[in-house]
Amino acid sequence: MAYTTQMDAAKQGIITKEMTAVALKENVDVAVLRQLVAQGKIAIPANKNHTSLDPAGVGQGLSTKINVNLGVSQDCCDIEQEICKVKKAIELKADAIMDLSCFGKTREFRRRLIEFSPAMIGTVPMYDAVGFLDKELKHITAEEFLSVVKRHAEDGVDFMTIHAGLNRETAKKVKQEKRLTNIVSRGGSLLFAWMELNNQENPFYEYYDKVLDICAEYDVTISLGDACRPGCTQDATDASQIHELIVLGELTKRAWARNVQVIVEGPGHMPLNQITGNVMLQKKLCHGAPFYVLGPLVTDVAPGYDHITSAIGGAIAAAAGADFLCYVTPAEHLRLPTMEDMKEGIIASRIAAHAADIAKGVPGAQDWDNQMSQARADIDFDKMIELSIDPEKSGKYRKESLPEHEDTCTMCGKMCAMKTMKKILNGEEVDI
């Protein structure tokens, strides 16, 4: 039987090789997985032209995935440096790489990335439009915007952020609301500006069916961008954000009707006490579609440490049901991240995702912690380092401060609780 997309196959009762691969990795029943793909509650972003892909699933009952943002900009346009970052991100077990390139040889970078990356690749065509078309924003036509989407799909991009929910009604809310930080989404701000400059409807909203045609042809998952995500805690859960979310719910159903897989993007900056409610609201209004959160950052005052503010919010969001975390680095709001910034962001995001997976009861999540706890009980430092989320750092810390006795550390020495309990329970003398 023929099928166009993973969702189309799932609705027909077909189990694809991508579904089989995801089910094996996640330790879930492939028949259940297929049903959830058919319902739109799980997405398997897998462009037909991304031949190096190791498929991953995002959604209900699966492990929380993390995304890493990379790419070249006008001020930092070293493609080779970004390729090195991509390879390191994959080594650090990132599930997705989002190419946010907005200057220079964007297509060269994107195609190289897709050629070797086993991780799913995402892009924001809106970022690429001005540079690729070599035109001022105001003079780009709706057809030209769609041509950029088509080019990304042809190149093999697995999921694309499309800010289709920012229609003229939503834009009106933004102007009425007088937000503290207005629109902080780069793609959203460009579209808002284009709409205002041309007095026209958002082309991705007006010609949404044409966007879906492209996505269906290449099996691109549409990641419905939240142009009105809050850019500060003060703006969280306001009318602009919620109005756009309602539109995104409508667009989700339209995509599913065309067998196009959907991920819905979410906040942003948000106080701790609003996160769980926002996840529940998104899942309700967007009919259980996978939820991709950009943080959320739980305070606005920690530049240089925003990987921590993001990990706190991300853990809460994922435990409440969010499925996909976008990493944030210590350099957020300040500069393009370095290799070390990227590593810190990935590790922080992976910690948040794993903590949430334990809370959600994801198969196998608790097993990893139990293995670590057993290694601690056995005072097996080599095993602890091997099991750690960042063996390089934990091994470095151990080597930098070696104890007198190998079965202790320099914190407790012979007063190690694990050593004391192990001896006394074995009927041995305790020599402090």
Side-chain angles (χ1 to χ4, degrees):
M1 295 172 70
Y3 61 87
T4 55
T5 67
Q6 295 293 320
M7 176 173 266
D8 181 29
K11 287 179 180 177
Q12 293 186 53
I14 300 169
I15 293 174
T16 66
K17 66 181 187 300
E18 290 83 6
M19 293 178 204
T20 301
V22 170
L24 284 171
K25 281 198 281 189
E26 299 279 352
N27 194 27
V28 297
D29 185 282
V30 72
V32 174
L33 178 77
R34 182 199 61 77
Q35 289 177 334
L36 291 170
V37 172
Q39 294 167 11
K41 293 178 180 177
I42 286 177
I44 302 177
N47 188 308
K48 295 171 183 176
N49 290 342
H50 188 178
T51 55
S52 62
L53 178 69
D54 182 8
V58 181
Q60 183 176 310
L62 305 183
S63 59
T64 306
K65 303 303 183 297
I66 71 158
N67 172 69
V68 171
N69 290 337
L70 293 166
V72 292
S73 68
Q74 186 168 0
D75 291 310
C76 299
C77 53
D78 187 340
I79 288 178
E80 296 308 321
Q81 177 63 23
E82 290 305 294
I83 290 291
C84 288
K85 287 183 190 175
V86 171
K87 291 177 178 177
K88 185 65 175 177
I90 291 168
E91 179 188 320
L92 291 170
K93 302 181 181 178
D95 301 292
I97 306 292
M98 203 151 193
D99 174 16
L100 303 187
S101 296
C102 58
F103 178 81
K105 297 179 179 179
T106 55
R107 195 175 194 203
E108 177 189 330
F109 178 66
R110 182 170 62 250
R111 291 174 111 177
R112 285 181 63 184
L113 189 56
I114 292 164
E115 185 179 358
F116 75 82
S117 174
M120 52 187 164
I121 302 299
T123 58
V124 188
M126 188 67 203
Y127 292 1
D128 194 28
V130 174
F132 175 71
L133 297 167
D134 195 24
K135 294 177 74 171
E136 280 298 333
L137 178 66
K138 180 181 180 179
H139 303 302
I140 298 174
T141 66
E143 292 74 19
E144 287 173 327
F145 279 127
L146 293 175
S147 74
V148 178
V149 173
K150 176 84 168 179
R151 183 64 61 92
H152 283 222
E154 289 172 344
D155 287 345
V157 170
D158 302 299
F159 65 103
M160 290 187 214
T161 295
I162 304 290
H163 297 93
L166 180 64
N167 58 19
R168 297 191 80 171
E169 283 300 310
T170 309
K172 192 183 297 183
K173 292 283 184 190
V174 173
K175 288 188 280 188
Q176 290 171 347
E177 282 293 302
K178 307 294 184 188
R179 300 174 115 196
L180 186 57
T181 53
N182 298 308
I183 290 177
V184 299
S185 159
R186 193 193 320 176
S189 67
L190 291 171
L191 270 174
F192 184 90
W194 185 92
M195 291 161 68
E196 292 291 306
L197 289 168
N198 292 286
N199 194 29
Q200 290 185 41
E201 180 57 275
N202 176 353
F204 295 118
Y205 179 77
E206 185 173 1
Y207 301 105
Y208 187 61
D209 285 336
K210 292 186 177 181
V211 174
L212 295 179
D213 287 340
I214 296 168
C215 291
E217 182 179 355
Y218 295 91
D219 199 0
V220 174
T221 298
I222 191 165
S223 188
L224 289 169
D226 54 337
C228 295
R229 68 176 180 266
C232 63
T233 52
Q234 178 64 34
D235 291 342
T237 324
D238 68 356
S240 301
Q241 179 196 336
I242 301 305
H243 189 278
E244 183 183 33
L245 186 59
I246 292 168
V247 177
L248 296 182
E250 296 165 358
L251 295 175
T252 295
K253 293 186 83 170
R254 286 175 60 186
W256 286 346
R258 303 281 295 279
N259 294 322
V260 173
Q261 300 182 103
V262 174
I263 294 170
V264 178
E265 298 184 13
H269 293 232
M270 184 160 285
L272 282 167
N273 61 318
Q274 295 182 30
I275 295 173
T276 298
N278 265 261
V279 174
M280 293 172 65
L281 189 62
Q282 183 276 340
K283 287 286 186 177
K284 178 69 174 177
L285 292 177
C286 296
H287 322 290
F291 193 22
Y292 173 31
V293 291
L294 312 176
L297 281 69
V298 295
T299 179
D300 305 320
V301 299
Y305 298 92
D306 277 331
H307 59 312
I308 297 174
T309 62
S310 171
I312 293 168
I316 294 168
D323 309 287
F324 198 10
L325 303 181
C326 186
Y327 95 145
V328 171
T329 77
E332 187 77 9
H333 304 112
L334 300 170
R335 68 175 187 202
L336 194 76
T338 64
M339 184 79 80
E340 187 58 32
D341 295 332
M342 183 195 74
K343 179 181 176 181
E344 288 194 43
I346 291 172
I347 296 299
S349 191
R350 284 189 61 204
I351 291 168
H354 180 64
D357 287 348
I358 293 172
K360 287 191 283 194
V362 170
Q366 185 63 51
D367 294 344
W368 184 10
D369 286 63
N370 290 349
Q371 290 170 34
M372 176 63 85
S373 298
Q374 187 61 58
R376 285 183 174 143
D378 293 340
I379 323 176
D380 186 342
F381 284 95
D382 289 340
K383 190 67 174 176
M384 287 182 232
I385 291 165
E386 177 191 328
L387 287 166
S388 65
I389 203 162
D390 183 3
E392 183 182 352
K393 188 170 187 176
S394 56
K396 176 173 174 283
Y397 277 24
R398 174 70 176 169
K399 287 175 183 175
E400 284 178 348
S401 185
L402 291 172
E404 180 184 355
H405 302 281
E406 286 188 8
D407 59 347
T408 64
C409 75
T410 53
M411 178 77 175
C412 299
K414 293 179 75 174
M415 290 187 180
C416 170
M418 295 295 189
K419 184 174 182 179
T420 298
M421 291 305 298
K422 190 174 183 180
K423 284 197 165 192
I424 202 73
L425 291 174
N426 285 334
E428 300 174 24
E429 288 291 327
V430 176
D431 178 15
I432 303 298

